[in-house]
Every structure is written in C-alpha cells, then in structure tokens.
Amino acid sequence: MQRNVRLGYLGFEVRDLSAWEAFAVDVLGLDIGDRGDDWLALRCDDWAQRFLVTQGPSDDVAVLGWEVDDEAALDAALARLRAAGVETTRGSDEEARLRRVERLFKVRDPAGNPCELFFGADRAAAPFHSRHVRSSFVTGAQGLGHVVVSASDPDQSRRFYCDLLGFRLSDRIVCDVYGHPVDITFLHGGPRHHTVAIGGRQRKRIHHFLLEVTGMDDVGLAYDRALRARVRIVLTLGRHPNDRMFSFYAKTPSGFEFEYGWGARTVDDATWMPTTYDHISEWGHHPVAVAGATTTEKTNERTSGTGGAVRGDR
Ligand code: FE2
C-alpha cells in the first residue's frame, strides 16, 4: 500500500525571537498565526501553524513534524517503529494542543533529531495572507517543503526514513562541489520530489529547509528582500538537476540555511525511476564567497592585464 508522509511542521528554538519575527515576516513572507511572550506561530497556508518558533539557547531545530494521513497510518508507522526497537512516546494533550494537531508521537531519528509523527492539523479560521508573497506557497499534498537532515550514519538514517517512516528513493547526487565531496540521497513520501534528504553530519540538526512558491517572481522578490535585510546569501540563484528547483540559499538568524524556490517537478511512483546525478546544479548555486572572488579577481585581471587562471573560477 502506498504510504504518504509529508513535512507538516517545523519547530525552532531560537536565541533572538525578534530577529526571527522580522526575518520570517519580511524575508520569507510568512504570517504570524499566534504568539506568546516567548514564542511565535507562523503560517504559510490554510493551516493554523506551520512553524513554531520558541525563544531558547540552542538556536537549532527543536522538532521535525511528519504528517501521515490518518490514525490508521499513524498506528501502522508506530507498529513498524516499535518492531524495529525504536522508542516512541505519546505526546501529551497539551503538546498536541500547542502543535495544533489531533494526535502526535515523539521519536528520534538515528542521528538524534527530534521527530514527531502526527495527523489531524487544525486549519485557521482566517485565510492566509502574506505581506510580500504575490503567488502562494506550495503545500497541500506536497507538505510544507523539505529538509536536509543531519545524519551521523547516512545508511542508518536512510533505513529509518524509508523502512520505518515510509519514504521512497527519489535519486542521489554524488559529485564534488568546489573541492567538497557530496553524496546526498533524496527521498519522497508523496508527490513532492523530496521531503527529506540525507547527506552527512551537519553543524545543526538540518542543513536547510525549503519553502517553494508558485510564482517565479516570488523567488526574485525574496532574493531582493534578503539582500535588503542583509541576510547572508550562501548560494546564488541556480537550478538543481534532480527536482529542477530554481532557488537560492541563505542563512536564517539561527545559522542553519533556508532554500527558497520555484518550479520543481513532482514524482509519480507508478513511473518514477531513481537515478544518480553527477552534478548538484544545472547552473548557478555558486557560493557567494567564490562568486565574489571570481568577480574581483576578474576585475584585477582586466585592469592589470596579467591574464592566467583565475583562482576560484571553476
Ligand atoms: Fe533543498
């Protein structure tokens, strides 16, 4: 039987809540759903909340919320986890109320990332409105977006997400990026090309999360807002070969990254054939430091007339 599993919500524990509020609203284009003295709930669609941002010292992801279709799907996933000897803990009614979901269970992935399996998310009373996004965020059957999770043992993490949570292989990218070996496995749990990707160990619990918009201009507009807000752009605009996402990468106020994209293709399990790519981008996605060095050195080369190879221009 086909299993559906989507990224439902993300929880972040952040040092600077007011910086996060400004970043989420004015750069990402999210909307405040609710708030307390030391927390913010953020919306990007008809759900009551998609992000729960709480003041705290870790400056990292606090929870990855994986959505399944219903109670039967949740029970089936729990049975698989318990049979594999993975500890599961039922979330309290208070925790379910805070997450705005019907029922949740807590579990850690092999790298220790805190995960929650849930169903039955609350919908908001009011329609979603973004101050900045002119199109809309791609959610629904594709879920909130995707995450690249930290994995201390990638094989073990792949088995956990595929055999126990129900994800399937989309493809792999194995290549060298600016001198760094890259080996990333992309997994889907529904039509979104990938909902979770596994590379290696990251400094934070995720390398990045993705938000996808339905209008290409909204990627450019977000890029402009990020520049104006002096958010650190990490990778320039580019297009990935596997999901065909047109996107850029930048830092959140907590140091892990976000990807903001448009135009990804979807997966149909009936016809999908996993493959391995030998490059991470069709074009673009250059580290800003390298792109900057190239530009500066090209300028020097032009003005000095020395010619020769340009360091970093690969
Ligand atoms: Fe991504």
Side-chain angles (χ1 to χ4, degrees):
M1 194 187 76
Q2 187 69 61
R3 294 172 188 147
N4 293 317
V5 52
R6 297 168 286 276
L7 182 63
Y9 54 78
L10 286 169
F12 302 138
E13 183 182 293
V14 308
R15 279 178 189 270
D16 189 341
L17 192 65
S18 58
W20 257 93
E21 178 172 352
F23 164 75
V25 172
D26 291 328
V27 177
L28 298 181
L30 305 177
D31 192 21
I32 308 283
D34 199 359
R35 70 191 316 151
D37 288 344
D38 60 354
W39 60 273
L40 280 175
L42 298 164
R43 296 180 57 196
C44 68
D45 61 3
D46 63 338
W47 282 34
Q49 68 186 35
R50 285 289 197 171
F51 295 88
L52 188 58
V53 186
T54 310
Q55 179 96 46
S58 71
D59 242 357
D60 205 344
V61 169
V63 65
L64 302 159
W66 304 113
E67 181 196 19
V68 295
D69 287 338
D70 50 29
E71 189 156 28
L74 180 60
D75 288 340
L78 291 170
R80 291 194 299 273
L81 287 158
R82 287 169 187 155
V86 178
E87 190 183 330
T88 62
T89 310
R90 187 182 172 132
S92 66
D93 291 347
E94 174 67 5
E95 284 168 322
R97 193 187 63 75
L98 282 171
R99 304 282 191 262
R100 307 290 306 263
V101 301
E102 198 170 324
R103 190 152 75 94
L104 70 92
F105 271 81
K106 298 191 264 191
V107 60
R108 288 196 181 255
D109 81 2
N113 296 311
C115 296
E116 291 173 358
L117 286 168
F118 76 95
F119 72 94
D122 288 350
R123 291 333 194 239
F128 169 70
H129 173 73
S130 171
R131 241 184 256 176
H132 300 286
V133 175
R134 298 173 184 178
S135 59
S136 58
F137 289 98
V138 177
T139 57
Q142 297 198 51
L144 171 60
H146 70 231
V147 282
V148 178
V149 294
S150 184
S152 39
D153 181 337
D155 286 336
Q156 217 184 350
S157 288
R158 275 193 289 272
R159 282 196 295 274
F160 172 84
Y161 283 99
C162 290
D163 300 348
L164 305 182
L165 294 199
F167 287 95
R168 283 87 70 190
L169 177 65
S170 304
D171 40 48
R172 254 176 99 187
I173 295 182
V174 182
C175 63
D176 188 274
V177 180
Y178 289 99
H180 299 286
V182 163
D183 184 348
I184 308 172
T185 300
F186 298 84
L187 308 174
H188 65 277
R192 186 179 285 283
H193 173 276
H194 61 277
T195 286
V196 60
I198 296 160
R201 191 193 295 275
Q202 309 294 329
R203 273 187 304 238
K204 305 264 177 169
R205 286 174 168 155
I206 60 169
H207 176 270
H208 71 268
F209 68 89
L210 161 108
L211 287 173
E212 184 180 2
V213 283
T214 58
M216 190 191 81
D217 284 340
D218 274 315
V219 176
L221 289 163
Y223 195 84
D224 281 357
R225 293 195 301 275
L227 289 173
R228 258 186 248 115
R230 300 192 181 281
V231 165
R232 207 178 119 210
I233 307 290
V234 179
L235 299 179
T236 60
L237 289 160
R239 191 153 211 163
H240 289 300
N242 57 343
D243 64 357
R244 299 188 186 146
M245 188 79 78
F246 165 73
S247 62
F248 72 93
Y249 291 72
K251 291 265 189 202
T252 68
S254 293
F256 53 86
E257 296 175 18
F258 71 93
E259 179 184 8
Y260 208 92
W262 165 84
R265 64 171 162 173
T266 53
V267 165
D268 175 356
D269 278 294
T271 54
W272 188 258
M273 296 288 287
T275 184
T276 299
Y277 294 84
D278 64 1
H279 55 297
I280 202 159
S281 299
E282 295 289 351
W283 57 268
H285 290 146
H286 298 293
V288 167
V290 173
T294 303
T295 306
T296 309
E297 293 189 4
K298 272 186 171 162
T299 305
N300 292 342
E301 184 188 3
R302 255 199 320 274
T303 51
S304 67
T306 52
V310 178
R311 187 157 43 89
D313 187 11
R314 287 174 283 172

